[in-house]
Amino acid sequence: MTGEGEVTGGGASPPGLVDRVARGLAIFGGLFMLAAAIMVTTSVVLRWLFKSGVKGDFEMVQIATAVAVFAFLPLCQLKRGNVFVDTFTLRTPGWLNRGLDRLWDVLYAAFALLIGWRLIVGGIDAIASRTSSMVLAIPIGWAILATGLMAFVLAAVTLVSAQRLSREPS
């Protein structure tokens, strides 16, 4: 996957495929979180009014949050929004900082691939064993598979962000 352009805009070339996928996943994750917030609000109001909330609300929130977090990670990476510690690199030259950032991007991609692979294996196992949530019996394997696929997208995005850093002027 190649991704020309930047998500942040500002006169850069038009967003590439990676940028559009990352933005689309973030919107998808936001919609998941919005649905979870509406469901929690409804459950709280129902508990207040009728002493009984939405059955299994915590299960739906857990699943929605897990999926949303993985949906947000690619855009966060493209915008360089992950937490970093620059205690030792504050006074180092820009070329060295970009080199270190590229190194960490590649390592992040490797870990995202590892996590994605294990999530896919776990999702397939959960589907095969019909693992489901306790109260509502929601099959959780599909959510696990989705997070695994999003981890692969994250790996691709981290490699694109490393490539973009190498194009920046020294």
Side-chain angles (χ1 to χ4, degrees):
M1 266 194 240
T2 62
E4 297 299 320
E6 293 286 334
V7 172
T8 55
S13 58
L17 176 62
V18 169
D19 301 280
R20 291 190 304 271
V21 168
R23 184 174 285 141
L25 277 175
I27 291 169
F28 170 76
L31 292 173
F32 248 62
M33 290 311 301
L34 180 62
I38 291 169
M39 193 269 314
V40 166
T41 303
T42 302
S43 188
V44 168
V45 169
L46 289 174
R47 285 181 207 278
W48 181 62
L49 292 174
F50 304 111
K51 307 294 184 222
S52 178
V54 176
K55 182 180 177 184
D57 55 355
F58 65 94
E59 292 177 344
M60 291 184 278
V61 169
Q62 287 173 344
I63 293 169
T65 302
V67 171
V69 164
F70 274 89
F72 294 145
L73 287 173
L75 185 62
C76 182
Q77 174 64 25
L78 280 180
K79 291 191 164 260
R80 312 285 315 159
N82 289 317
V83 174
F84 66 93
V85 178
D86 60 1
T87 304
F88 301 107
T89 59
L90 284 173
R91 297 180 193 263
T92 57
W95 62 267
L96 179 60
N97 285 334
R98 282 189 298 284
L100 290 171
D101 285 346
R102 281 194 306 273
L103 171 68
W104 291 122
D105 283 353
V106 171
L107 287 172
Y108 191 19
F111 278 102
L113 286 171
L114 176 66
I115 290 167
W117 166 50
R118 297 314 300 165
L119 283 168
I120 296 291
V121 170
I124 291 169
D125 184 56
I127 291 169
S129 65
R130 297 184 181 174
T131 304
S132 61
S133 64
M134 217 180 320
V135 176
L136 297 177
I138 300 169
I140 61 171
W142 298 106
I144 296 170
L145 277 178
T147 59
L149 293 174
M150 288 184 272
F152 288 141
V153 171
L154 174 61
V157 165
T158 58
L159 293 175
V160 167
S161 67
Q163 178 187 29
R164 288 178 181 171
L165 280 172
S166 65
R167 291 185 196 159
E168 287 185 9
S170 298

